[in-house]
Amino acid sequence: MSNNTLDAGTLRDRVQTLATSAGIRQWDLGAACSDDCSVQVDRGEAKQLKAAQRSSIKVRVWNSDGLVGITSTTDLTDSGLARALEGAQQASGFGNPDDVPQFSPMATVPLPQLDRPLMPRQGILPLLKDLRAAEAELLSRHPAIQTVPYNGLAESLSTNLYLNSDGAIRTMERTQASLYLYARAEESGRKPRSSGAIRMALGSSDLDIQGCIDEAVERTVSHLAYQPIETGSYRVCFTPEAFLSLIGAFSSMFSARAVLDGVSLSTRESLGQTLAVPFLSLEDNGLHPDHISASPFDGEGTPTQRLSLIESGCLRNFLHSEATARAFGVKPTGHAGLGAKVSVGPDWFVVGTTPGQTSGQELDHTRETDTFVLIEDLSALHAGVKATQGSFSLPFDGWLVKGGERISVEAATVAGDIRSLLTSILHLEPTQEVTHRGVAPHVWVEGLSITGEA
Amino acid sequence: MTESFSQAWSSTLQALLQRGSGAGADLVEVFLEHTDHLGLLAEQERITSVNPTFARGAGIRVFLNGWDGFVSTNDLSVDGLTRALDQALAMLNLEANGLAGSSSFEGLGALKDYALEKTSWLQQCPTMRDASSRLLEGTSQLERLGQHLQVRRGSYARDWQEVLVAASDGTFARDIRLHQSTGLSVLAADGDHRSSVGRRYGSTDRPDDLFTWNVESSAAEVCESAGTMLRADYVEAGQMPVVLANRFGGVIFHEACGHLLETTQIERGTTPFAEQVGELIAHPAVTAIDEGLSSGAFGSLSMDDEGMEPQRTVLIKEGVLQRFISDRAGELRTGHQRTGSGRRQSHAFAAASRMRNTYIDAGPHNPNDLIASVERGLYCKSMGGGSVGPTGQFNFSVEEGYLIENGNLTRPVKGATLIGDAKDVMPRISMCADDLDLAAGYCGSVSGSIFVTVGQPHIKVDSITVGGR
């Protein structure tokens, strides 16, 4: 196993020397390198074993007119860096004078402490052994499960840097591991069904392999006895994972960049306005202790922070980069990428009930006897979500629950409008669950359109 | 990149292949690449983003007893490549001892150089200034032709890639690939009514493509669609017959069936068609083809990413399954002969069997015959993206749709998603028109995002689930 690392001080000195000789006074960069390995298995055999040493750099330069250009490269040799600086200089000739990013004023303030110890990596052959065992156990748990077509166990060590010509140096190193098991089950005369589970951890030895197997089995087997559902309007309960994936697909509602670009459902005037039911709270917390991929800073070196987005149903804040924060007269929030046109995105959503507020309902998806649809997983969000229009029409996996009995739903879609959905939430269950997408409870919504084959 | 791949790499590559073969590998493959990408975005009257990206790297794959180890690296030095090879060998419990052990490797063949005529293509491509000027023409035309436009965008991407492939079976081949895509998109808004419409145009191996782009007609198409959809009602959901327009309507075959005819899916056990070669799997009206040969089409190739020239592969002929799309690993593991379909996004991915230009062939009907045959259904003029799952369940969204009532197109409708099962829907494609056309797209799968073409004539599906409100 190699160690593909970057030294921030050395890189800064090299870039400064090259920039000076190219006549560049102001620059910043983001760099990343990683060592990854992963395994896949197929009925006990190694299917593919993979490893990668990756390195990349994005460098921005400001030209004599103050305009910005950017270039990316994977060539971190001196000639590669010189070429990147040259490319960025050339691109700066096309910089947008109406929107010039600057260094974040928070790129040198102290960073939050993250408790993310580096975990030892096992190496690829132990990963293979673990995944073989996991697959074998999964296959043994139910006769209908004949293959696990999508599976993988991976671990990585990565380093990320942010440097600028004003002396900012941000570095972080982290280890990360992930496991996914997606099983396929089929019974005679019935259509095949598939489902699975994902786990993440700081190191592969910490992965909850047994929990992943149990969940993959439970979710796959529970869908074997499927039935078509009648088209109509239903009370719906989203699992935490499904609700987070839907909110994530509409995250441009919270992006100041999208607001400025005119492609958000929100406008500048939306702040303080009602967006959801009063008992809903939504925050973005990239520092959450369960967020395995947490980073202490964003692409511009701004510290990551906890930010309230919806409180008591009202929109409280937008996610900002340096440039959008300047446009709104606020501080950057630590959600920026790095670019000539800087992107802005969420880190880790936490959905919950506003303290002191209540829905007035006591719905519980494990005990409810009135008919509802429990949506476990939404598919094809890239195609079925119209983020600029607010509408969605998405295939899903889930159950029709009648009198407490769960009937797996065959081939159906759920459709609606995110703004209507947020104001039609009936109830948030009290238990918040940690998923690989964020934290949320089960969320109940009244009156969503379901289309089935019945 | 300033350096170029050439015959001069042969000694380094031979040494690597000898080292891997001597360690006991059944086959060793080295894929080298340089890329030079340029992306531009215009919004309203400004260029708001210019992104040049340079990359280089190698992907080394070692096969043993049917399975493989794959290592990718950005380090193209001899030491870096040797380290990557040794790591790939170690994954399969093989060890290079530095000595030439018993090996079937007989040396590389003569370099098959598909790049010879293409070395000046990068220089012939539009400069940043050319490209910005064309995009601003586009947003200006949108302003002129559209109404209620809140956002006007033009985007351009140029992907230039030089690859060198060497393998211990003697394969030694070089190619230069050039893909360019140009897109226009708008967000129209009027009160609570909104519509977002985009169109993308893509070509392969045509350096001057952006200069010949018909900006006005592209802008007119986008504006017309946005205007029509601005006040469209949501579609009424249910089971109904559907007529899918030509060109990008071909995404239905791509998702519903094409992916299931890749040997990767046989390996995973996720295709219902694995044992059905020679059997009727679709309506006899359907003949489907996958090839890498159509001039200028987005999925065309001179050679695949394993150094093989692409073939014209008839997948389905008059409803009968003919064969699968196969790559090197697919041939090894499933017995289906390679079809020049080993493709990958970059050196960071191992090649896999992937579609190229995939289309349903033309039939005998006039497009109006298809619409006239439907009493009540949906006409899908423009399609969005889609996907297929491990059980063959597919879905895709409809960007621009119209109701068909009594054989005529009536009101525009939005918000439709079509879902179904490949095995069920293929026999229901009962009519194909005579207006086959192709459209450029991107396909994401096991070996990354690649350039593909989808296509079809107008087709009629007798019944499908239309999700909506």
Side-chain angles (χ1 to χ4, degrees), chain B residues 183-444:
Chain B
L184 291 178
S185 63
V186 296
L187 169 63
D190 185 19
D192 287 339
H193 299 286
R194 286 185 160 212
S195 68
S196 49
V197 171
R199 296 282 188 276
R200 183 175 53 237
Y201 315 91
S203 72
T204 298
D205 298 355
R206 290 179 178 166
D208 64 344
D209 196 52
L210 191 63
F211 299 111
T212 60
W213 173 41
N214 188 331
V215 183
E216 185 173 355
S217 109
S218 299
E221 186 183 346
V222 170
C223 289
E224 184 186 344
S225 179
T228 302
M229 297 308 292
L230 184 59
R231 289 181 177 77
D233 290 332
Y234 284 98
V235 70
E236 190 179 330
Q239 304 287 311
M240 61 187 81
V242 167
V243 175
L244 292 145
N246 60 353
R247 302 187 72 235
F248 205 64
V251 72
I252 187 174
F253 182 76
H254 180 99
E255 300 295 354
C257 191
H259 276 297
L260 300 176
L261 299 181
E262 296 165 343
T263 49
T264 311
Q265 304 280 346
I266 300 179
E267 292 178 49
R268 287 183 191 276
T270 49
T271 174
F273 303 124
E275 307 297 330
Q276 291 193 280
V277 172
E279 295 179 21
L280 197 68
I281 66 163
H283 193 284
V286 176
T287 290
I289 292 152
D290 180 90
E291 47 93 340
L293 309 167
S294 295
S295 174
F298 219 33
S300 291
L301 308 165
S302 295
M303 65 174 219
D304 72 0
D305 291 319
E306 297 176 329
M308 181 179 177
E309 287 184 26
Q311 295 178 348
R312 181 176 190 271
T313 311
V314 177
L315 301 171
I316 297 170
K317 186 174 182 185
E318 295 171 356
V320 177
L321 177 61
Q322 303 294 307
R323 64 177 303 176
F324 279 75
I325 303 160
S326 185
D327 63 326
R328 188 190 288 281
E331 180 175 274
L332 196 66
R333 294 170 189 159
T334 69
H336 289 270
Q337 280 196 332
R338 290 167 69 190
T339 51
S341 307
R343 303 189 66 194
R344 57 181 120 200
Q345 177 180 328
S346 71
H347 68 276
F349 297 85
S353 54
R354 300 289 296 276
M355 285 177 271
R356 302 156 297 185
N357 304 311
T358 314
Y359 54 88
I360 294 178
D361 214 353
H365 302 284
N366 183 289
N368 292 330
D369 299 341
L370 279 58
I371 294 166
S373 73
V374 174
E375 190 175 320
R376 183 171 177 80
L378 180 68
Y379 175 65
C380 304
K381 182 177 179 186
S382 171
M383 309 304 302
S387 63
V388 62
T391 58
Q393 280 256 323
F394 67 85
N395 60 79
F396 53 100
S397 66
V398 181
E399 295 287 354
E400 184 177 348
Y402 297 81
L403 286 184
I404 306 174
E405 294 171 299
N406 301 318
N408 294 301
L409 296 186
T410 57
R411 290 179 293 127
V413 287
K414 64 183 178 183
T417 297
L418 308 192
I419 63 170
D421 185 278
K423 259 189 133 164
D424 293 339
V425 84
M426 293 307 294
R428 296 181 192 160
I429 301 176
S430 59
M431 293 175 81
C432 294
D434 55 4
D435 58 348
L436 169 65
D437 202 356
L438 307 179
Y442 298 89
C443 171

